[in-house]
Amino acid sequence: LPHDTRESIMAAVLNFLNVDAQLPLTEGADVDYMNKSSEGFKKAKATLSPAFASNVNAYDVLVPIGTTHLNIMATSFSRASVKIDGHPGNMAVVAVKDGAAVSVTLHDGADGVVATYVLTAKASGDASGAVTILHEKPPVAADDAPPHTHMHGGVACTADHSKDGDAHGHSHDGGKTTCTKDHGHSHDGGKTECHEDHGHGHGHGHGEKKEEAHSHGHGH
């Protein structure tokens, strides 16, 4: 490494350190969003003792009783890279128990450790001020869901119309309401309605020549 870069790394310190506590929503539940059974967690304030300073390398982290994870954010303005509990990056969620220690380390280009900060979890007090954070989950279709659905006004219809017969009808407003009017029939592709009573002759249809009525008599 260039001489100025090596000096910068050797003098590396943390310039920012923040820790939040995470507690399960219910006793024994998981807070990890990667776990499909986890619905979320409670986020609570964690207090560093003493208060953070770049030249202080050891802290007690005061967290509520029941804390299972620490959300740690750490930044260095030097050219050194940051690892939290061995994981590269400036933020990590680490599982802890009361009295457990977590290391935040700064590394040079050869991955040598040039500075270490130690955070020790200390359970103290309750989580009365905690905020509930819920994981976003993708919707899961029911096992017996139909392969496709239709829409009413842009909203999927889940009604069972299998017994409706023709009652489901049609719509003139994008599916918001159902039209039950009998519109008759048309001779011009649906542009106008035909209301004429054509009666019943000898089986003719529209577009065929209508046969005249047949009559005969027996006059002499």
Side-chain angles (χ1 to χ4, degrees):
L1 293 175
H3 181 70
D4 59 339
T5 300
R6 184 175 297 276
E7 285 187 350
S8 174
I9 291 177
M10 292 301 293
V13 294
L14 279 181
N15 298 97
F16 174 82
L17 178 63
N18 185 77
V19 184
D20 293 321
Q22 294 185 357
L23 299 84
L25 295 179
T26 57
E27 186 176 355
D30 197 344
V31 306
D32 188 354
Y33 74 95
M34 295 297 291
N35 187 332
K36 293 182 179 180
S37 66
S38 175
E39 296 183 356
F41 59 89
K42 296 177 183 179
K43 177 183 176 181
K45 181 180 179 181
T47 303
L48 296 176
S49 179
F52 173 72
S54 295
N55 60 343
V56 177
N57 296 81
Y59 300 88
D60 286 339
V61 183
L62 307 181
V63 297
I65 296 172
T67 296
T68 60
H69 291 73
L70 297 180
N71 180 38
I72 302 171
M73 293 172 281
T75 302
S76 174
F77 296 155
S78 71
R79 300 184 184 183
S81 59
V82 178
K83 288 186 178 182
I84 301 174
D85 196 40
H87 302 288
N90 297 99
M91 184 174 69
V93 176
V94 182
V96 296
K97 294 182 179 180
D98 185 22
V102 179
S103 294
V104 179
T105 52
L106 302 181
H107 298 254
D108 61 19
D111 204 32
V113 177
V114 295
T116 300
Y117 293 78
V118 179
L119 312 178
T120 303
K122 298 287 187 179
S124 174
D126 59 25
S128 57
V131 177
T132 298
I133 306 296
L134 298 178
H135 297 319
E136 293 186 6
K137 298 286 186 179
V140 179
D143 293 337
D144 57 351
H148 63 275
T149 59
H150 57 279
M151 310 288 284
H152 294 283
V155 179
C157 175
T158 57
D160 180 7
H161 299 292
S162 60
K163 298 179 181 179
D164 292 353
D166 296 329
H168 203 37
H170 57 279
S171 173
H172 299 280
D173 55 7
K176 295 178 180 179
T177 58
T178 299
C179 176
T180 56
K181 182 180 178 181
D182 181 4
H183 295 292
H185 58 277
S186 172
H187 300 280
D188 54 6
K191 296 180 180 179
T192 57
E193 297 176 18
C194 175
H195 300 285
E196 181 180 350
D197 182 5
H198 295 290
H200 298 282
H202 296 277
H204 70 276
H206 301 299
E208 298 178 3
K209 184 177 179 180
K210 186 175 181 180
E211 297 182 11
E212 299 295 332
H214 299 281
S215 63
H216 59 277
H218 300 276
H220 299 281

